[in-house]
Amino acid sequence: QVQLVESGGGLVQAGASLRLSCVASGRPFSTYAMGWFRQAPGKEREFVAAIRWSGGRTFYADSVKGRLTISRDMATNMVYLQMDSLKPEDTAGYYCAAQIVYYSDLAVYDPLKYDYWGQGTQVTVSS
């Protein structure tokens, strides 16, 4: 059993920054990778970023590369999404997810391969 709780969303102007946080809990917590996904009204849930828990390798959607940075703190079971130079098109609910076991090298991009999800935190970017 794993629980994920996101925080840090809000309403900001274009060009501003936010840092989203996700804390994972469980007995014990163990995961292969953590990811961030987002979903805007009327759109499908889309991949944003992921990080391998042990090795720290990161993966990004082309749309956010260079602006958003995923990181983790293994001592506190936290994963972060630092968002800089925010754009109105970044407006969405943001969800963290845990991929507990290894499936394939490309599985981090696939929301169907994630086992646990947080409740989401809303990010709204105005122009």
Side-chain angles (χ1 to χ4, degrees):
Q1 184 72 257
V2 174
Q3 291 184 329
L4 307 174
V5 180
E6 305 99 330
S7 62
L11 171 62
V12 298
Q13 295 279 355
S17 296
L18 283 173
R19 190 179 77 159
L20 307 184
S21 300
C22 174
V23 61
S25 63
R27 297 186 294 108
F29 176 72
S30 179
T31 191
Y32 173 73
M34 297 289 292
W36 286 97
F37 292 78
R38 66 188 182 187
Q39 188 168 25
K43 297 185 65 177
E44 300 294 323
R45 187 164 296 189
E46 66 173 343
F47 170 80
V48 176
I51 185 167
R52 292 180 182 172
W53 192 253
S54 180
R57 182 178 176 182
T58 56
F59 308 81
Y60 295 96
D62 288 342
S63 61
V64 305
K65 197 172 298 181
R67 299 188 301 113
L68 276 59
T69 304
I70 189 171
S71 61
R72 90 281 201 234
D73 185 340
M74 301 180 73
T76 57
N77 291 338
M78 297 284 289
V79 61
Y80 303 97
L81 186 67
Q82 178 66 44
M83 303 187 295
D84 298 319
S85 302
L86 283 165
K87 304 175 180 180
E89 49 263 45
D90 294 316
T91 295
Y94 283 72
Y95 301 83
C96 69
Q99 188 174 108
I100 301 301
V101 301
Y102 174 83
Y103 296 93
S104 69
D105 288 350
L106 298 179
V108 294
Y109 298 103
D110 185 358
L112 298 179
K113 295 296 192 296
Y114 286 78
D115 305 285
Y116 298 96
W117 293 82
Q119 82 290 344
T121 185
Q122 179 67 33
V123 172
T124 302
V125 184
S126 65
S127 58

